[in-house]
Amino acid sequence: MKTTPWRLAARNTLYAAALAAMAGCAAKPAPPPVAAAAPVQAPVLQAEAEPVEPKDILLRMANFLAHAPRFCVSVDAGYDILQESGEKIEFGEILKITANRPNQLLVDAKRSDGDRHMVLYDGKDITAFTPSQGVYAQTPKPGGIDAAVMYFLKDLKMRLPLAVLLVSRFPEEIENRTQTLDYVEKTEIQGTPAHHLAGRTETVDYQVWVAQGARPLPLRVVLTYRNAEGQPQFRARLSDWNLSPVVDDAQFTFAPPDGARKIAFLAEAPRIGPQGTEATQKTGGRK
């Protein structure tokens, strides 16, 4: 068993961003009835005995989330950045994630320095927008959320925290990557009884707290990048899970505000122009 492309958080200039319309997530007011899609029934597992084996608990969570037609969740994340002195400094961000399978995704992020970013997918185009800089990058990618997320990470070299949770092949990904998995303890996260699991992949140690009961959702995640200098960690608390959010197409459609400039993703921009200078303003990549 293997696991998880949960990515090390590292600040970059534009990767994901803000969308005021999405800020409410679970608390967001319902959109106008004419535009709204029909509510879906939240998935609930049939009555069954609570699994006791860590692999069964992990895959039960992954399958439950992978089969949810829609969901919305708030993520309070913190991550270490190793300084030149060797000191680790923690930064943070608040994310609101809305997924409407198979082809609509919105990630709204506010970093600890106040900067906001948005990543939006409407089934045809991937858009990354930074309101504070008034710039956005956009590229076509049909094929649904799974294809868009993998293209965003691997081809555009962009960052998307907890990306593995968004794809429908989450169970296969986490099973293939996990090399060892242990049950740590039964505990509580914000008053919710949870299973605490600890796993290892080839490069990352991870811990995940899975809610007990008929809604086996991830409540907390800690990743340790043991091969990276200083073994930095990524920590995230997931809350306000809504498995039947009201959504509408406009929520996932990007309309550039007045004055916004379109720039290229770093991975798509030509490095050197005809005169030996950088040809295009660009965004993306990691610090």
Side-chain angles (χ1 to χ4, degrees):
M1 194 172 186
K2 300 180 177 182
T3 210
T4 158
W6 285 312
R7 296 303 181 93
L8 168 62
R11 298 235 180 191
N12 56 13
T13 54
L14 190 156
Y15 72 96
L19 183 67
M22 197 264 172
C25 193
K28 180 180 181 295
V34 172
V40 297
Q41 186 175 2
V44 177
L45 294 178
Q46 298 297 317
E48 60 182 22
E50 191 85 10
V52 295
E53 294 297 326
K55 179 181 177 181
D56 294 337
I57 296 170
L58 186 71
L59 293 181
R60 182 171 179 254
M61 176 270 291
N63 278 294
F64 181 77
L65 191 56
H67 288 89
R70 299 175 187 168
F71 65 82
C72 184
V73 62
S74 300
V75 180
D76 186 351
Y79 49 93
D80 299 327
I81 297 294
L82 189 67
Q83 307 300 300
E84 292 183 357
S85 63
E87 184 180 12
K88 284 190 284 192
I89 303 295
E90 180 178 287
F91 294 91
E93 60 190 347
I94 304 294
L95 299 102
K96 306 287 187 181
I97 301 173
T98 300
N100 185 30
R101 293 194 169 101
N103 55 18
Q104 293 179 320
L105 175 67
L106 185 61
V107 180
D108 178 2
K110 181 178 182 180
R111 298 193 328 198
S112 50
D113 62 1
D115 206 4
R116 303 191 69 169
H117 306 273
M118 178 185 73
V119 171
L120 180 148
Y121 179 63
D122 62 3
K124 298 180 296 182
D125 298 317
I126 304 171
T127 303
F129 177 45
T130 299
S132 63
Q133 299 178 24
V135 297
Y136 69 96
Q138 191 174 67
T139 190
K141 187 58 186 175
I145 292 175
D146 283 20
V149 166
M150 298 314 295
Y151 185 77
F152 192 77
L153 297 174
K154 292 185 176 180
D155 293 88
L156 297 181
K157 311 297 183 186
M158 299 290 282
R159 172 180 168 263
L160 193 62
L162 303 175
V164 72
L165 300 180
L166 307 177
V167 299
S168 62
R169 60 171 180 272
F170 179 27
E172 292 84 356
E173 290 283 346
I174 201 167
E175 183 172 18
N176 291 338
R177 293 169 184 265
T178 298
Q179 297 177 335
T180 65
L181 183 67
D182 294 302
Y183 191 97
V184 179
E185 62 181 356
K186 287 186 177 180
T187 185
E188 288 189 358
I189 299 294
Q190 299 293 312
T192 300
H195 304 285
H196 180 185
L197 307 178
R200 303 200 97 177
T201 74
E202 184 175 351
T203 58
V204 176
D205 292 347
Y206 70 86
Q207 301 174 70
V208 58
W209 287 256
V210 179
Q212 298 182 37
R215 286 164 48 100
L217 293 163
L219 303 178
R220 187 167 186 255
V221 174
V222 174
L223 309 179
T224 302
Y225 294 81
R226 65 175 186 273
N227 293 338
E229 184 178 1
Q231 297 194 337
Q233 286 191 324
F234 170 86
R235 298 165 285 274
R237 185 174 67 85
L238 297 90
S239 61
D240 299 329
W241 280 101
N242 184 349
L243 301 181
S244 56
V246 177
V247 298
D248 66 273
D249 290 344
Q251 192 173 348
F252 304 94
T253 302
F254 180 69
D258 292 343
R261 293 179 299 113
K262 185 176 182 179
I263 60 178
F265 285 104
L266 176 60
E268 293 185 326
R271 292 282 185 173
I272 303 297
Q275 303 303 318
T277 58
E278 286 198 352
T280 311
Q281 189 173 352
K282 52 193 179 297
T283 186
R286 300 180 178 185
K287 282 185 178 180

